Structure formats: C-alpha cells, structure tokens
Amino acid sequence: MTALADPLSDAFWATSLRRWNTVCWALFGAMAVGLVTAAPPGGSKYRALVLLSCVVLCYAVLDRFPGNPVVRPHVYLSVLVLGLGGLAYLGSSYAALFMVTLPHYWMFGRTPKASMGFLGLATGATLTGSLVRQGWSAEFFGETLVSTLIVVAVGVLIGLWAHSVVAQSSERARLIEELERTQAQLSEAHQRQGAADERERIARDIHDTLAQGFASIIVLAEAAREGMSDDPARSAQQLRSIESTARENLAEARELVGSASRPGPGRVASGSVSQTLRRTLRRFAEDTGLAVQADLADLECDQQTRIALLRCTQESLANVRKHARASTVGVVLVRRPYGVELEITDDGTGFVVGESTGFGLDGMRKRLAELGGRLTVTSSVGDGTRILAMIPMASEVEA
C-alpha cells in the first residue's frame, strides 16, 4: 500500500480496510461456491472462476504483503477493473462483487483523482461487458445501467465524504501539532528568559551588596593604613569597620547562595524600613566621616519595598563615597498619597546625567520598575546630586 504523508490518513484507511476484509473474504468464498455449484457447466464457468481467482489472489497478496514490489495498490485495482468487466460479460454475479469492492477504490486509490479514475474505469468495464452480453435491450437500460449508475453515485458521495473527513482531521492534527510545538518553544523561551532574569537579579544583588561592601573595605583599609601613625584611634575604628563590613559581606554571600535555590529577593534584616536605613546611614557616617542628615518616617511596607529602598540607599551612598567628594548627605523618607518616596541628596561635584554609563543607576531603575516605581536623577556639574525613588504601596497598585 502506498504511504500517505499524513499518519492520521494511514490509520483511517488501515482501520477501514480491516473492517472490510471479513466482508470481502466472505463474498469471495460465496461467489466461488456459487460458481462451482450453481453455474451451468461450460467454458464460461471456468473463465469466471479464473477471473475471480485472479482478483482474490491479487487482493490476498496485497493484504498479506502490502510492501511487495509486484502487486501494488494500482495493480490490484487494474485487475479488479478487468475482472469486473469480464464477470459482467459472463453474467456471473458481478453486481455483488462491484458493490462490495467499492470502498477499495478509495482505500487503495488514496487520492480523489485516482479513486474516481479507477471507479470510472470499473463502471465503464462493467457496463461494456453487460452491453456486449445483453445488447441495447430494455433489460440493459432498465436494470443494469440504472442500478450501476445509482451504486456508483452512492459510492462517489461516500468516498468524497470520507476523504473530506480525513482531510479535516488531518488539518486539525496538524494544527494541534503546530500548537504543541509553539507551546514548547514558548516554554523554552520563558525558561531562558527566567534564567536571564535570575542572572540579572543575582548580578544586581552582588553589585548592590558584595561589590559595595568590598569597595568600602578597600577605602577603609587605605585610610587605616595612612592614619596608623598619625591617628591610631581612628585607624582602629576603621579596622573595626572593615571587620564589620567583611562579616556583613560574608552573611550577604551566604544569603545570595541560599536565594539561588528559592524564589524571591534576598532577605534584609528585620525591623522597620527606617531602622534599617538608620543603621546603614550610621555605618556610612562612621566610615566616611561625612555629615549625614536624615529625616526618616516610620513606615510599614512589604519586604520587597524595604529591600528596594535599602538597595537604592546603599547604591546612592556608594556613589557619594566613590565619586561625589561631598561633605554633606541628606536622606528623606516620607509617605505620600501615591506611595513612598526616598530622596537622597549630596553637595558634591555632581555629573551629567545623560553621560552616566554605570550599572548602579540602571540597576536601581530596574529594581524600582519591578515594583511599579520610578527613579528620578537630578544633577549637574558643580551642583551636587538628587536621587528620588518612588514606589507605590500595595493599596495604590491594586487601585
């Protein structure tokens, strides 16, 4: 049997063929018995048996050995056409064979064009054989021609309907397969995006915590080395700050490693956001000796908001330490009707905002954007810098 491109069509025709096998074999046997017992003796009886045997043999080979190189589906249909024409000429119960083998044209033809072609040849051969035997008689027109055309018309309608059903089923199967493939691609893309987002989150956390801590350690170590002979007490304080910062970095590193196996942002110390910020500002003032003016409202907010405010404060203070050459830093935390605002200002050298290429400000913007907030940076050379972070609270986001 020739293979179709669509496995669903192959399955449909294979199932149909199995169901018709029993009927065909029963009819072949009944016709053989009828020809042997009921047909009048003579040459026509044996010729009919030979024709029927050829049809049965080809069908048996094709049924049992569908991959054989000799009896292909179109070969069998050609033998069937010739057999029907010969049996119609001999008048040996060809009508029953014609009706029962109608599905074979659609099963073995496989395409509507080929099936219709072989069915047309079978109809022509049958009518030609009957015409040669009966002549242009009333019996030929009233019985043979009309009944044959009716049977052929019904067979054509059923065959075309079956092909239409298979085509629609094949199209649905193709669409389902395409949908599943698209879903698999989307799932893979989401996994890649999730991995990229997780890498970006870890990189941002490392920059905001470990990198800033190591930068602080370097600055403190340099200052302590320079002041060991002139101001031992100050150097001792700086060494204690180095030790404290190193311990905090170690804790942060352990937390980052632990956060890789669970969702959600890194943990921060317990307590209100204002208490957390005060500890950070106190450490910054001790390490740098800068004047820090803080006005922090005692706010209650969720963990992610507290983390975002802390990271923005740490990044801003780190920039002040590394670049601003400021003498005073101001930090204001206040609740607004639309959310919470954190403002960090310094009287340092300032910079051109559009020329900033560092990772810190971009990371702050992304962190705030994840919470529906925004970052505003105002600065110019010689006029200091103002960082304003706004985060809508849960009630405002839901509204």
Side-chain angles (χ1 to χ4, degrees), residues 60-365:
V61 172
L62 187 61
D63 179 48
R64 299 298 179 183
F65 308 100
N68 77 89
V70 179
V71 182
R72 306 303 298 158
H74 287 185
V75 173
Y76 164 69
L77 293 178
S78 300
V79 172
L80 181 59
V81 168
L82 296 175
L84 285 171
L87 290 174
Y89 171 74
L90 297 174
S92 302
S93 303
Y94 70 92
L97 180 63
F98 186 82
M99 287 186 291
V100 172
T101 55
L102 272 177
H104 287 185
Y105 298 101
W106 302 100
M107 295 176 185
F108 296 111
R110 292 304 188 88
T111 64
K113 184 177 180 180
S115 300
M116 292 287 290
F118 278 106
L119 183 56
L121 291 175
T123 304
T126 301
L127 293 176
T128 301
S130 299
L131 179 61
V132 172
R133 178 173 57 85
Q134 297 175 330
W136 299 98
S137 61
E139 179 184 1
F140 172 76
F141 285 102
E143 296 180 5
T144 304
L145 181 62
V146 174
S147 60
T148 300
L149 292 180
I150 291 175
V151 170
V152 170
V154 173
V156 169
L157 292 176
I158 294 176
L160 292 177
W161 172 82
H163 265 283
S164 175
V165 170
V166 172
Q168 293 176 4
S169 300
S170 301
E171 179 64 14
R172 284 195 296 269
R174 185 189 66 80
L175 292 175
I176 291 174
E177 181 181 358
E178 184 177 345
L179 177 61
E180 292 176 347
R181 185 167 57 251
T182 302
Q183 290 176 335
Q185 293 173 350
L186 287 175
S187 177
E188 183 179 354
H190 288 159
Q191 290 178 354
R192 290 197 300 267
Q193 184 61 42
D197 292 343
E198 181 64 12
R199 286 194 297 270
E200 182 179 351
R201 183 190 69 81
I202 293 176
R204 190 170 57 208
D205 285 341
I206 290 175
H207 177 272
D208 291 347
T209 57
L210 300 182
Q212 304 296 357
F214 288 132
S216 177
I217 289 174
I218 292 173
V219 172
L220 291 171
E222 292 174 347
R225 184 178 65 250
E226 294 174 357
M228 288 184 66
S229 57
D230 299 333
D231 192 355
R234 177 66 176 169
S235 296
Q237 174 61 36
Q238 290 168 336
L239 289 174
R240 287 193 294 270
S241 295
I242 289 174
E243 179 184 0
S244 176
T245 303
R247 292 183 184 278
E248 290 176 359
N249 263 23
L250 179 60
E252 289 283 0
R254 289 171 175 168
E255 178 61 28
L256 287 175
V257 171
S259 67
S261 61
R262 65 177 185 272
R267 176 180 54 83
V268 298
S270 60
S272 69
V273 62
S274 60
Q275 293 174 346
T276 303
L277 295 183
R278 284 192 180 94
R279 285 194 295 267
T280 301
L281 295 175
R282 185 169 54 252
R283 173 62 55 79
F284 173 79
E286 292 175 354
D287 293 346
T288 62
L290 299 181
V292 177
Q293 300 172 355
D295 183 7
L296 306 177
D298 192 9
L299 302 178
E300 293 296 333
C301 54
D302 59 84
Q303 183 79 337
Q304 289 186 336
T305 300
R306 293 175 60 232
I307 293 172
L309 294 173
L310 174 61
R311 299 310 185 213
C312 288
T313 302
Q314 290 173 329
E315 174 63 24
S316 298
L317 295 179
N319 289 335
V320 171
R321 182 199 302 267
K322 290 185 292 185
H323 309 297
R325 296 198 294 273
S327 59
T328 302
V329 176
V331 181
V332 178
L333 178 67
V334 62
R335 176 67 182 267
R336 301 294 187 189
Y338 46 82
V340 59
E341 281 188 354
L342 173 67
E343 181 185 48
I344 302 172
T345 59
D346 68 74
D347 59 356
T349 58
F351 65 100
V352 179
V353 178
E355 297 178 358
S356 174
T357 59
F359 181 82
L361 292 178
D362 186 56
M364 292 165 65
R365 288 190 180 95

